[in-house]
Amino acid sequence: MLKAYIVDDEPLARDELKYLLIRSEKVEILGESDCIDDAVAAIRELKPDLVFLDIELAEDNGLSLARQLETLEPAPAIVFATAYDEYALQAFELNAVDYILKPFDEERIRKTLGKIKKMQKLGNKQAPVESSMNHRRNGKLPVMVDERIVLLTIPDIVYLESNEGKCSIVTLSQTYKVAEPLVVMEKKLQGAKFFRVHRSFIVNLDHIIEIEPWFNSTYNLLLNDGSKVPVSRTYVKELKQLLGF
């Protein structure tokens, strides 16, 4: 059984998460807190395997608690459980194992627990974001898909799309739904030929075959798998510079 601790200042959210964790029959809840000071003291004493941590707390920011927990020995695995997706990149820079959005989805919780179990078997509780240099060297992008680690060939990735906090990676052969949010995938692909063209889309520049003017100074990109991806006004100028038009 995984031993977990929950930090969230919303009682209903804590209750919902506890219910789903208990239903999984994989987790023992050691305790819960609604503030950082209480959480630090309890986590030091109880030594949980993992901490489910909200980011927007009433008196502080959960990211600061994560930094404190990194110094513990042994350090618990961190799973951010929040209503806000804009902190995902900061969370993974703190070596968070996962980042799940409210309202909680039972299947999503199950996948998170499966991921942590696999990491424990490998003797590594934390999963830092791999450097883009490693991706450029081996041409592969490791992603978690249904509790399996799949190595995607980077040049075969056509585009990535975010929908309700979840990311789909469209390749020449199939589409993969992954747990990491789009902002984390963007970080992993830095240095490759990928460019964000919309708050919800990142494209592989090598797969663009046509640029179609749209309304209000926006564009659509026709990709070589037949897909169309919108370009928002925010990214038009930089895209033009990259493509030389």
Side-chain angles (χ1 to χ4, degrees):
M1 294 280 283
L2 291 166
K3 297 179 180 180
Y5 195 91
I6 299 171
V7 185
D8 196 314
D9 61 353
E10 299 177 23
L12 291 178
R14 292 200 306 271
D15 289 345
E16 179 188 11
L17 184 54
K18 282 190 296 184
Y19 171 74
L20 294 175
L21 292 174
I22 291 169
R23 269 178 60 93
S24 75
E25 299 183 346
K26 296 179 180 180
V27 177
E28 176 187 354
I29 310 295
L30 297 184
E32 60 186 271
S33 300
D34 62 2
C35 67
I36 286 180
D37 289 343
D38 290 348
V40 170
I43 291 168
R44 285 183 188 276
E45 178 182 352
L46 297 172
K47 295 181 171 55
D49 299 310
L50 68 153
V51 174
F52 286 89
L53 175 58
D54 193 8
I55 289 181
E56 291 288 351
L57 300 171
E59 298 179 356
D60 212 331
N61 187 297
L63 296 170
S64 66
L65 174 57
R67 294 185 185 97
Q68 294 182 58
L69 297 182
E70 278 191 312
T71 67
L72 298 183
E73 185 58 46
I78 302 295
V79 175
F80 284 99
T82 178
Y84 304 92
D85 62 1
E86 62 263 34
Y87 297 104
L89 181 55
Q90 292 170 269
F92 280 89
E93 286 175 346
L94 288 168
N95 291 333
V97 169
D98 213 342
Y99 191 102
I100 57 179
L101 294 174
K102 300 176 182 177
F104 300 124
D105 176 78
E106 186 168 9
E107 176 65 14
R108 184 70 176 82
I109 296 289
R110 187 184 67 80
K111 288 182 178 180
T112 295
L113 298 176
K115 179 190 295 188
I116 293 168
K117 278 288 191 183
K118 286 190 175 183
M119 289 175 182
Q120 281 191 329
K121 289 179 182 178
L122 294 172
N124 178 17
K125 284 186 179 179
Q126 295 185 322
V129 175
E130 298 89 344
S131 71
S132 58
M133 182 64 74
N134 287 339
H135 301 326
R136 291 200 300 271
R137 184 167 59 243
N138 60 33
K140 299 289 186 179
L141 176 68
V143 295
M144 185 70 73
V145 180
D146 295 330
E147 300 183 17
R148 299 174 294 119
I149 297 175
V150 178
L151 296 178
L152 302 183
T153 301
I154 291 177
D156 289 347
I157 298 173
V158 181
Y159 70 95
L160 301 89
E161 179 181 4
S162 177
N163 186 16
E164 297 182 352
K166 299 179 181 179
C167 181
S168 295
I169 302 176
V170 179
T171 72
L172 292 172
S173 58
Q174 67 183 97
T175 297
Y176 299 88
K177 294 187 182 299
V178 301
E180 291 90 347
L182 188 66
V183 66
V184 173
M185 301 310 301
E186 182 177 26
K187 177 74 172 179
K188 288 184 175 185
L189 289 166
Q190 275 185 350
K193 293 184 177 181
F194 289 84
F195 179 70
R196 182 185 285 270
V197 295
H198 187 280
R199 66 188 302 270
S200 299
F201 291 92
I202 295 171
V203 300
N204 185 336
L205 298 176
D206 286 342
H207 289 287
I208 300 172
I209 60 174
E210 188 175 322
I211 302 167
E212 174 186 63
W214 200 233
F215 62 91
N216 290 336
S217 301
T218 62
Y219 293 85
N220 282 327
L221 301 177
L222 179 61
L223 307 178
N224 60 4
D225 70 336
S227 302
K228 274 190 178 182
V229 169
V231 183
S232 67
R233 294 174 63 185
T234 304
Y235 301 99
V236 165
K237 182 177 179 181
E238 189 174 354
L239 180 65
K240 285 184 175 180
Q241 292 173 344
L242 282 171
L243 298 179
F245 75 97

